[in-house]
Amino acid sequence: MTLALDATYFANIGRGVGAILLYALLGALLMLIGFWAIDITTPGKLNRLVRDGRPGAVLVTSAGMISMAFIVVVAIWSASGLLAEGLLAALIFGLVGIVAQVAAVRVLEWVTGIRIGEVLAADELNAEAWVVAAAHVALGLVVAVAII
């Protein structure tokens, strides 16, 4: 049995590896921007609260990261294999998603009377943290599906 590879095999592998690295870098950047956006729009220092293991801060931050991943994944998928278009779409939709999430969560807090600073700083996980986390995930899904 002879093993024969198509002449373009290694070029395709190289392109795929490059795409993985670029999308991973962009995804990480968007998640950092999303974290920063949550941090500057909420009372307290979010990175310190997460490092200190405050369960509400960890839950809300995790939900924000997951929602950002939804947006990036759908932007990649909708680009139909076109790398430049996919990266640009992921960047644009990711930034719009961050703005939409921060604004919508602040409105949710206002409407429900949730005091997010207290939720994030609490020593124990409370129901309000789950509501805020769910809002992040739900908005991530909405923005992601809107991309399609």
Side-chain angles (χ1 to χ4, degrees):
M1 181 197 277
T2 305
L3 180 64
L5 298 174
D6 185 275
T8 62
Y9 178 78
F10 288 108
N12 290 337
I13 292 292
R15 183 179 182 280
V17 168
I20 289 168
L21 295 173
L22 289 171
Y23 278 118
L25 180 65
L26 179 60
L29 176 66
L30 287 169
M31 285 187 246
L32 288 171
I33 292 169
F35 181 87
W36 177 74
I38 294 168
D39 188 22
I40 64 168
T41 60
T42 56
K45 203 67 181 125
L46 189 57
N47 63 353
R48 184 174 302 125
L49 295 170
V50 169
R51 275 196 320 270
D52 290 346
R54 304 291 182 178
V58 171
L59 178 64
V60 169
T61 300
S62 298
M65 298 297 148
I66 290 168
S67 68
M68 187 53 53
F70 289 147
I71 296 166
V72 173
V73 166
V74 172
I76 293 168
W77 179 79
S78 69
S80 302
L82 302 172
L83 183 58
E85 288 86 345
L87 288 167
L88 185 58
L91 176 64
I92 292 168
F93 293 135
L95 293 173
V96 169
I98 289 168
V99 171
Q101 279 186 308
V102 168
V105 170
R106 296 296 85 81
V107 168
L108 171 77
E109 292 162 5
W110 175 71
V111 168
T112 61
I114 292 173
R115 301 180 78 144
I116 190 65
E118 293 174 13
V119 170
L120 297 176
D123 290 329
E124 295 181 10
L125 192 58
N126 57 48
E128 292 169 322
W130 286 101
V131 171
V132 175
H136 277 288
V137 172
L139 287 161
L141 287 171
V142 168
V143 172
V145 171
I147 295 169
I148 299 175

